[in-house]
Amino acid sequence: MCGIVGYVGKRNSLPIILDGLKRMEYRGYDSAGVSIINSENKIINFKKAGKVDEMSKSIDKDIFSGNIGIGHTRWATHGIPNDCNAHPHFDMDDNIVIVHNGIIENYKQIKSKLADEGYTFKTETDTEVLANLINYYFKQTGEFEKAVRLALTDVNGTYGIACLCASEPDKMIIARNGSPLLIGIGNDETIVSSDASAVINHTRNVVYLEEGDMAIIKENGFKMKTIYDERIFREAKEIDFLIESIEKGGYDHFMLKEICEQPDSIQNTYRGRINFDTGITKLGGLESVFDKMLNAKRFIITACGTAWHAGLVGEYMLEQYCKVPVEVEYASEFRYRRPIINPDDVVILISQSGETADTLAALREAKKYGATTIGVVNVIGSTIAREVDAGTYVHAGPEIGVASTKAFTSQVMSLALITLMLAAEKKTISKDSLKEIATELKSLPGKIQNMIDIRNEYKKVAELFKDSRNFLYLGRGINFPVALEGALKLKEISYIHAEGYPAAEMKHGPIALIDENMPVVFIAPKDRIYEKVISNIEEVRARSGKIIVIATDDDKDIGSYADHILRVPRSSALFAPILNVIPLQFLSYYMAVARGCNVDQPRNLAKSVTVE
Ligand code: F6R
């Protein structure tokens, strides 16, 4: 959410900043801006509402030149997205300029104290208040570094910041609390970013800032301190993905690329973790807490959005195969609900980004009560991955499309692996079933590929419904969360109102919505509750709803119930959600394209929600 990039070195910083902003645009795209210290040691600033390309086209590249600079792409929290509220923000004297991710919660109090001191403000943002607070301390101490430090000890909330000072033009200062930042170490240059994708073009060598870290960056390198002025040293790590994985590679959209990557991303999730002869699964990252998991009285799964849907699938899996009670909680509610958490609970946090503020807060809450915490995270080295007691990476690879696709299927796969590992040890699954599941797992990437190969079939149906105003998605059992996920995908990228419901719940209310204009997507694989779902389909048919069914290849009867059939390969219940969600991903993608929506940058959304 929002992207920061900064450069200190010998090259002209502008092209590096603009390239970095473009690569981070999936994190926020309602306005963008840059500030550069020019050869006369003046800060020049340009910012504009709209996409990075618009800002980039309008900027005067002859004037914007200098070896130190910062840039930002914004997802608005305080103040509407316009030129004025875009970052970077100056202090009142145009001496200090700052880009900021996160929220300064006590900005109103600070603003009013500064106003009493005669400070004036041009924008509605919390960031401008922080710039002026730094100014306030700079006037008292005459030192930029000290001023930043003192200002940061006054603020509550979250921040990742990069700032410059015209009075000390040889340096950039960055700091982190709750919003990720990293330092890319190049040859005679340093590139700072909130996201490795903005740095990887220049270096793979990075240092991740931890909470409360600051860095003072100059042309000859950087030094790190805490905001309380203690010297610290953080080891450099290597970025674990290739640049190709964050480029579109010939696809029209990242979302389409990521949907089509799922045969590989799924394999990457289970590769080396399961013995295909025995079905025995081993997740190295969970070994240290495995006994706690075996003895847990209860699992709590908490996450947001799509990851929460994966958690609901996990609930079915763990309860059914491991015979252990599971609760699934919205991370955003978890903390404020004052949940009852016991030390013998195991709390699983699911997050693609590993930075979602609500999920991170839930993690910290769970730790407070002494529960064992486990991360199911995609981004390596992310905050949640670092703070949990143990974890398993889903290894889906970078996900750039704002609508999550391959991360979801890899999250579900990770939960399936956790389930198999526990069930085998608890002996709540037979050896034969384990072997069968392992054999089936081997065929899963091929089955996903088959669906990708027939995606035109899904596209044809999507195009028929592009003008619909509403959609219902219905599923039962382990496929109910798939219905929720299908509805969320449609809402996010095509702005069609959609609701996911347990199929049998429909008659308790939503059935009133059904008429000849209401398309209803049923997830109806041939499983043990197939007949029940067919009854629910009949209920919709009787009211003239348009019926689209996700049906297994071997279902010869479904034609008499459905207006449109989206075929999926048959599989065991454990893997059915992974297969059944794929036509729904395509359905939403093609509907959004047919409606002319910006699939990779849906309105109001941003990847990785790092504010509460
Ligand atoms: C939906 C989507 C969001 C995220 C949610 C959690 O397509 O992407 O609902 O799933 O914001 O994000 P992570 O998984 O990064 O914690």
Side-chain angles (χ1 to χ4, degrees), residues 304-307 350-353 356 402-404 411 488-489 492 609:
C304 300
T306 286
I350 309 173
S351 176
Q352 187 287 125
S353 61
T356 299
V402 167
S404 185
Q411 286 160 351
L488 178 63
K489 288 291 89 98
E492 279 182 295
V609 185

Side-chain angles (χ1 to χ4, degrees), residues 401-428:
V402 167
S404 185
T405 52
K406 63 175 181 171
F408 173 76
T409 46
S410 285
Q411 286 160 351
V412 172
M413 176 53 70
S414 296
L415 292 163
L417 296 175
I418 292 175
T419 302
L420 292 176
M421 184 172 78
L422 271 179
E425 192 63 30
K426 282 173 167 263
K427 303 206 172 17
T428 47

